Amino acid sequence: MSHVSNPLDEAAAEALLVRFLAVDGVTGHEAAIAAEVSDALVAAGVAKSAIKFDDAHSRIPLPTETGNLIATLPGTRPGPRLLFSTHLDTVPLCAGAKPKREGDRIVNATVGAALGGDNRTGCAVLVAMVETLLKHNLPHPPITLLFTVREESGLHGARELNPADLDGAVMGCNVDARVPADLVIGAVGQVNWQVEIKGKAAHAGVAPEKGISSTLVAAIGLTQTHREGWFGKVQKPRGNGTSNPGVFEGKPGQAAGDATNVVTDFVHIVGEARSFDEAFAAEIASAYEAAFRKASEEVTDSAGDQAEVAFTAKPSYPPFRLEEDSPAVQRAKRAAVSLGMSPTTQHSNGGLDANWLVRHGVPTVTVGAGQYEIHTVHEYVNLPEFFDGCRLAIAFATIED
């Protein structure tokens, strides 16, 4: 494919990628990588006065070193303001990564660790785009750059963002996927749920009938959700989705139960429900609640007492779907076609910062930049696709309306 009208300096873009991959910044500890990205933006020509950090971290219910990094570029031609976004953080498995090149890939020289291509590719793409726009004086409308925190631990930075800080951006391009031309235009929403089941301890060998087994209540409840079609892949006439009870424990960080000769008196389960329909995700969670409450009625002690069930559910992030003919999707398609790519549209079963950006009023398409085997020790970045991700961002910024 031809990139004649898209003057990306591949060596400079690769240097940015390697530079950012070498900086630790696991979720909640983004201060160092945020400073590195900020310095790179200034070196590319962004005015220091146009770079700021918001106060989203003060609203995130988890310790977070810094707020979202936000920068703006004035337009060099008329047009609606565009948003370019990505996230700063990596999963904890990426701590200590040492990037190195092997052929057309960037891999990790540190054994037993992930690389962090998710999402240092996005950080490098955005800075490389800015560097290219300013170096070559490419015409573009006003641009806002957003680098979020704590994406990997719940999309918190995007969720707590003040939409006013985006300066009226009307559409966005989020870099956080694999293949550049596979445009993600929709994603599921998620409801997080948890249940505490309080039974009664008793000697399991001497008088088990005097106890109320929380383990048994939990097991019956989970079995019930499976039998009724609410466990795992959920397909109902009124909606589709998925669910998973991911954590089964006692008191936080402890085993469920104290010993084999004691009836388990406390179980804590943490799970999720996902769907493209926000109401249906909540319905899946409600089905779990109903199953646990029904199970508690089946398990009683010799006096007829039953376990206490405390169930809570809370939306984690909303679903979204962009229409194929929406301006953001059409712009992304035209940008891809201008580079000789054949764009397709996709829907994700995982959450993205775009879920919240769309909810904040900025229709946002997510594109890729060559990140593969993410969240694993086999992670790598495909450089040709990374370069195409950079070019796609440049084209999204510069293509005529």
Side-chain angles (χ1 to χ4, degrees):
M1 77 184 55
S2 173
H3 302 298
V4 175
S5 62
N6 203 304
L8 174 71
D9 183 334
E10 292 187 353
E14 181 181 344
L16 284 168
L17 175 62
V18 172
R19 174 182 173 184
F20 295 156
L21 285 168
V23 180
D24 275 350
V26 302
T27 190
H29 298 274
E30 296 93 347
I33 183 60
E36 198 76 16
V37 169
S38 179
D39 289 346
L41 287 171
V42 171
V46 179
K48 287 185 178 181
S49 60
I51 301 173
K52 69 177 183 180
F53 290 88
D54 71 7
D55 62 351
H57 60 305
S58 68
R59 295 183 293 278
I60 294 174
L62 296 166
T64 308
E65 289 180 340
T66 185
N68 299 312
L69 171 61
I70 302 171
T72 56
L73 293 179
T76 59
R77 66 170 170 81
R81 179 174 289 276
L82 303 177
L83 171 68
F84 288 86
S85 64
T86 194
H87 64 88
L88 293 164
D89 59 321
T90 62
V91 294
L93 189 60
C94 298
K98 297 185 184 304
K100 68 175 182 177
R101 181 167 183 169
E102 286 186 355
D104 283 340
R105 295 181 176 184
I106 301 294
V107 301
N108 192 4
T110 301
V111 177
L115 177 64
D118 176 19
N119 199 7
R120 299 305 163 73
T121 55
C123 296
V125 164
L126 266 57
V127 177
M129 176 196 71
V130 170
E131 197 172 69
T132 304
L133 295 180
L134 298 182
K135 179 179 180 180
H136 297 278
N137 296 313
L138 300 181
H140 61 82
I143 289 173
T144 296
L145 306 171
L146 171 67
F147 301 83
T148 63
V149 296
R150 275 208 181 271
E151 189 270 355
E152 296 289 6
S153 48
L155 312 182
H156 289 288
R159 177 177 187 152
E160 301 302 338
L161 174 75
N162 181 348
D165 285 333
L166 301 181
D167 291 325
V170 301
M171 68 181 73
C173 176
N174 179 48
V175 185
D176 191 12
R178 187 171 63 182
V179 180
D182 289 348
L183 312 177
V184 182
I185 65 171
V188 293
Q190 178 173 313
V191 172
N192 292 336
W193 59 263
Q194 60 180 311
V195 62
E196 291 185 348
I197 303 171
K198 298 179 181 179
K200 182 190 294 184
H203 195 295
V206 176
E209 72 281 3
K210 293 183 178 180
I212 302 173
S213 173
S214 296
T215 306
L216 182 56
V217 173
I220 292 173
L222 293 177
T223 300
Q224 186 74 13
T225 61
H226 173 68
R227 287 176 176 167
E228 294 182 353
W230 296 106
F231 191 105
K233 189 173 185 178
V234 181
Q235 294 180 306
K236 300 285 186 180
R238 57 190 178 276
N240 300 313
T242 62
S243 73
N244 184 55
V247 178
F248 194 114
E249 61 181 356
K251 294 179 173 62
Q254 299 181 23
D258 298 320
T260 61
N261 63 350
V262 180
V263 174
T264 306
D265 65 349
F266 182 83
V267 163
H268 179 221
I269 304 175
V270 181
E272 64 168 42
R274 300 186 185 199
S275 177
F276 284 99
D277 182 329
E278 195 165 5
F280 190 69
E283 186 175 348
I284 295 173
S286 294
Y288 274 84
E289 179 178 10
F292 289 125
R293 295 197 183 283
K294 182 177 180 181
S296 71
E297 297 173 359
E298 297 183 26
V299 182
T300 62
D301 64 9
S302 55
D305 294 331
Q306 61 188 50
E308 297 178 17
V309 174
F311 187 97
T312 58
K314 181 180 180 181
S316 178
Y317 50 85
F320 79 97
R321 290 181 187 267
L322 301 182
E323 298 297 330
E324 293 277 351
D325 60 354
S326 67
V329 176
Q330 288 299 305
R331 187 181 188 91
K333 287 181 177 179
R334 287 188 290 112
V337 169
S338 76
L339 299 171
M341 299 177 183
S342 299
T344 62
T345 54
Q346 315 280 331
H347 293 83
S348 173
N349 287 321
L352 301 159
D353 276 345
N355 289 64
W356 281 110
L357 296 175
V358 172
R359 180 58 61 94
H360 290 323
V362 185
T364 300
V365 177
T366 298
V367 303
Q371 46 177 265
Y372 281 79
E373 301 288 344
I374 64 171
H375 301 187
T376 77
V377 298
H378 305 294
E379 186 179 11
Y380 67 91
V381 175
N382 179 300
L383 281 172
E385 291 186 359
F386 166 70
F387 297 141
D388 278 347
C390 293
R391 293 186 175 97
L392 183 57
I394 295 167
F396 193 95
T398 58
I399 199 163
E400 294 289 341
D401 295 321

